[in-house]
Amino acid sequence: MFKTPEVTLQGVLARNLPLEIEPCLSPRGRVQFRGERALLVSSLTDLKARAEAFDRERVRKSTVARIQTGATLIAGGYGVIKLIDWLQRPGCFGEFYYRDHACRDCEFKADCKVEKARRQG
């Protein structure tokens, strides 16, 4: 946080160290800092570290959100495929009988056998 000497800051958190600047620019048009150079460098280094940490967290959250969206789409697609399969099944599904004429040419014959075995335990 930068401030000129005539500005008073009330309620500033302890972690925000204000760096004082001169009210006027230098003859070359640059900001002039008051205080020690080491304090300025330290403050700017800390600011850069916090900005990089914030950016890393933002990227992590974005990646997690993309993974969640992808997983939801995959699970939803699988659910839709299973629902369509279930809706296409004949009413006799799970009651396979090898001599029944309808069961011979049924495209669900293999799954119907498995379902019948599962029901019988």
Side-chain angles (χ1 to χ4, degrees):
M1 183 179 314
F2 302 110
K3 76 173 204 70
T4 58
E6 65 271 4
V7 174
T8 57
L9 301 174
Q10 297 177 355
V12 177
L13 299 175
R15 67 185 179 122
N16 293 330
L17 176 65
L19 298 172
E20 289 196 9
I21 58 174
E22 294 292 338
C24 299
L25 296 176
S26 72
R28 296 173 70 188
R30 295 187 178 169
V31 174
Q32 297 178 30
F33 291 94
R34 288 184 171 186
E36 298 178 21
R37 180 175 175 81
L39 178 63
L40 174 65
V41 171
S42 172
S43 296
L44 293 178
T45 303
D46 182 53
L47 178 64
K48 181 181 178 184
R50 281 197 261 166
E52 288 173 346
F54 177 81
D55 192 46
R56 281 192 303 274
E57 182 64 18
R58 184 185 54 80
V59 168
R60 187 193 69 77
K61 285 181 180 179
S62 174
T63 302
V64 168
R66 286 185 184 143
I67 290 171
Q68 287 175 337
T69 301
T72 301
L73 290 173
I74 290 169
Y78 180 76
V80 167
I81 290 170
K82 286 299 197 180
L83 177 65
I84 290 171
D85 179 54
W86 180 75
L87 291 173
Q88 289 178 340
R89 291 177 180 173
C92 63
F93 188 79
E95 299 171 8
F96 175 78
Y97 183 64
Y98 68 97
R99 289 190 179 178
D100 190 346
H101 177 54
C103 292
R104 283 189 212 154
D105 298 326
C106 181
E107 64 184 84
F108 291 95
K109 183 162 78 172
D111 293 335
C112 190
K113 287 180 182 180
V114 171
E115 178 66 17
K116 183 176 182 180
R118 187 190 66 80
R119 288 181 186 174
Q120 292 175 348

